[in-house]
Amino acid sequence: VFQSEVLSQRLKNSVAMSVAVKELLGESLTFYVSELFKPDYVHPFMNIDVSVVSDSVKPIPPQWVNDVELDEFGAEMGDVIGEGPVLSWSSEERKQRYLSALRRLELNEEMLTSKRMTGMSKSELGQEKKRVKAELKRYDTDWKRQFKVLPNHSQKEVMRPLYLYYRRLKNQLASADSGARDQDSDDDLLGRPGAADSRSTGNKKSSREKAEQQIGQLEARANSLQTEKGTIRGKLKEFQENFVLQHHRKIRFHKDILPIEKEYRAYKNIKEELQKVESQLRSLRGNAVL
């Protein structure tokens, strides 16, 4: 009975203390709030100049207020984060495409360097050159169709023997045209027709050399961009792998890539510049196959 009375008394004391605390807090809050509404009340925040701007003039970036899906943020992310598409043919597939081109031309690798052209007529040389050029363009076209960009110099290396064969045909055809325009000694003495032909040949050679130089510079730039793009892409993929391990899901939202947004935007800029370079290369290659 004594213990029960002690516990009862303690409970009453606790309740009384709780009520006293609530009353004290209530009175303090009432006093503080009442002070806010007095005419002479001053607070630093009350002197801040505030400008209200409509959303049509300066909208709040959506990534600040919403979980924006990456598809809305940029379709290019699929090329970097996640499984992504295949970006090039394997070495084996490139080799197989080269061998398929040889079969369609009814050639083999030995014939590319040993086939005699001196016995071929001008018409035969032109027809053979046209067939080889079609196979070289087929490689570029198929690559472009699958990967949306033209292959760079290193990606076309497997086709080099066929390119060299094409050049041999081109040079042999040029020699045949030159032989058909040979003039006798009297015409040579006059000088004018020969000089015109010489200037024409020189101009063509100069233009061709200039185009080859431009293509070489663009290919070097494209290779540099590809290397830089690959380096950044490796960092992005490493971030993705760590993200999956930490969050147990794939990257979905813009906020997920905030730590690497700088690298991602650099990747986008490099990709756009690379597309411009590939476009310039395509334009230069449109007049001649190298």
Side-chain angles (χ1 to χ4, degrees), residues 181-229:
R181 292 194 300 267
D182 283 344
Q183 301 170 341
D184 58 24
S185 59
D186 290 340
D187 289 334
D188 289 338
L189 290 174
L190 292 175
R192 294 185 179 180
D197 289 343
S198 177
R199 285 194 299 270
S200 176
T201 303
N203 291 337
K204 290 180 180 178
K205 183 178 180 181
S206 177
S207 298
R208 183 169 62 251
E209 290 177 348
K210 183 177 180 180
E212 290 179 353
Q213 182 180 9
Q214 289 177 334
I215 289 174
Q217 292 173 346
L218 288 173
E219 286 180 341
R221 178 57 179 162
N223 289 336
S224 175
L225 289 172
Q226 287 282 12
T227 300
E228 189 174 358
K229 178 183 173 185

Side-chain angles (χ1 to χ4, degrees), residues 8-282:
S8 177
Q9 186 61 37
R10 288 180 178 179
L11 180 59
K12 291 179 180 179
N13 293 338
S14 297
V15 172
M17 290 180 62
S18 176
V19 172
V21 169
K22 288 182 179 180
E23 290 179 352
L24 179 61
L25 289 175
E27 291 176 357
S28 299
L29 183 60
T30 300
F31 175 79
Y32 179 77
V33 172
S34 64
E35 289 291 319
L36 296 178
F37 292 93
K38 289 183 177 180
D40 57 347
Y41 179 77
V42 177
H43 191 279
F45 288 167
M46 299 179 67
N47 297 323
I48 296 177
D49 293 331
V50 178
S51 298
V52 179
V53 181
S54 65
D55 191 64
S56 60
V57 176
K58 185 67 175 180
I60 298 176
Q63 58 266 32
W64 292 1
V65 294
N66 296 322
D67 287 339
V68 180
E69 293 280 358
L70 286 179
D71 286 342
E72 299 176 14
F73 177 71
E76 296 89 351
M77 184 58 74
D79 185 31
V80 184
I81 303 292
E83 297 177 358
V86 177
L87 300 178
S88 67
W89 292 329
S90 66
S91 298
E92 181 61 28
E93 184 171 358
R94 297 178 200 181
K95 182 69 173 179
Q96 290 303 318
R97 287 179 177 271
Y98 163 67
L99 295 176
S100 296
L102 292 184
R103 286 193 294 270
R104 286 189 291 268
L105 293 169
E106 299 178 348
L107 296 171
N108 56 48
E109 291 184 304
E110 183 179 356
M111 294 173 65
L112 294 180
T113 56
S114 64
K115 187 173 182 179
R116 298 180 61 85
M117 299 180 183
T118 54
M120 299 175 66
S121 67
K122 181 179 177 181
S123 176
E124 290 172 335
L125 287 170
Q127 186 63 27
E128 181 75 352
K129 174 175 172 285
K130 183 178 180 180
R131 293 174 63 234
V132 175
K133 182 175 182 178
E135 289 299 329
L136 293 172
K137 291 182 73 68
R138 181 200 293 265
Y139 186 94
D140 287 356
T141 302
D142 289 349
W143 186 290
K144 173 74 172 179
R145 183 182 301 111
Q146 183 169 349
F147 304 117
K148 311 305 180 187
V149 294
L150 287 170
N152 59 34
H153 182 75
S154 63
Q155 293 164 340
K156 296 167 63 170
E157 182 64 25
V158 69
M159 302 292 285
R160 175 180 288 275
L162 201 54
Y163 274 96
L164 296 177
Y165 179 62
Y166 175 85
R167 285 184 175 180
R168 288 181 60 212
L169 288 168
K170 190 175 181 180
N171 292 337
Q172 187 66 27
L173 189 59
S175 298
D177 289 338
S178 177
R181 292 194 300 267
D182 283 344
Q183 301 170 341
D184 58 24
S185 59
D186 290 340
D187 289 334
D188 289 338
L189 290 174
L190 292 175
R192 294 185 179 180
D197 289 343
S198 177
R199 285 194 299 270
S200 176
T201 303
N203 291 337
K204 290 180 180 178
K205 183 178 180 181
S206 177
S207 298
R208 183 169 62 251
E209 290 177 348
K210 183 177 180 180
E212 290 179 353
Q213 182 180 9
Q214 289 177 334
I215 289 174
Q217 292 173 346
L218 288 173
E219 286 180 341
R221 178 57 179 162
N223 289 336
S224 175
L225 289 172
Q226 287 282 12
T227 300
E228 189 174 358
K229 178 183 173 185
T231 300
I232 297 178
R233 190 174 190 276
K235 294 179 180 179
L236 297 178
K237 287 187 70 67
E238 181 181 0
F239 176 84
Q240 178 220 12
E241 292 169 358
N242 293 333
F243 183 91
V244 172
L245 289 175
Q246 182 177 355
H247 300 280
H248 307 291
R249 67 173 176 85
K250 292 183 178 181
I251 292 174
R252 292 181 55 203
F253 305 107
H254 171 260
K255 66 180 182 179
D256 295 339
I257 65 166
L258 288 179
I260 54 161
E261 185 173 5
K262 180 179 178 181
E263 287 79 2
Y264 169 70
R265 295 196 179 280
Y267 178 89
K268 279 184 60 178
N269 293 335
I270 292 173
K271 186 176 179 181
E272 291 174 359
E273 184 176 355
L274 185 59
Q275 289 175 343
K276 292 179 181 179
V277 172
E278 294 288 359
S279 177
Q280 291 175 333
L281 278 172
R282 182 180 181 180

